[in-house]
Amino acid sequence: MENVAVHKDFKLAAYFIMIAIVVGIVKVARLYSGVESLEQSDYLNLALYGVVIVLLLWLAMKIMKGENWARITFAVTALCILVMAPFVVLHEFASSMFLGSLSSVFGILLLIALLLLYSKGARQWYTDQLNNS
């Protein structure tokens, strides 16, 4: 793909994803702060959080460049996260208002990014890019 100005919604969505990543890191840090010894399931959860955070960061960088495959991959990833979110958020609110709030903010930021990536302007920009190729 040549050097083309990317639609502002792509860049804005990437920024929302990056803010969600920061919220996710704060959540994980808060979740495991004060834990003296980790169990095997904790290591698995930390690895899963790490994979999701790295994946979201990589996708945000590619979305910022206007890569359509990254937009689609992010949509699938975000929808998988958002489908499971109500169960996680309810459980986390039961244990801690702060953790539940962080999870809610994380989900809302991903949803905003998803809506921006598939807004009318972003879809039209991508269609124009395909027609100009």
Side-chain angles (χ1 to χ4, degrees), residues 58-112:
W58 182 58
L59 289 173
M61 300 310 249
K62 296 299 182 178
I63 287 169
M64 195 173 282
K65 293 180 181 177
E67 301 281 342
N68 191 49
W69 65 265
R71 180 175 77 139
I72 294 167
T73 305
F74 172 75
V76 172
T77 304
L79 288 174
C80 289
I81 292 170
L82 293 172
V83 164
M84 297 305 293
F87 305 109
V88 172
V89 170
L90 289 175
H91 175 16
E92 287 179 349
F93 267 121
S95 66
S96 167
M97 181 68 93
F98 185 69
L99 288 176
S101 298
L102 286 175
S103 290
S104 297
V105 169
F106 180 80
I108 289 168
L109 290 168
L110 292 182
L111 182 62
I112 291 169

Side-chain angles (χ1 to χ4, degrees), residues 5-16 63-64 117:
V6 177
H7 191 272
K8 66 180 168 66
D9 285 353
F10 276 70
K11 290 188 178 193
L12 193 55
Y15 292 134
F16 273 103
I63 287 169
M64 195 173 282
L117 288 173

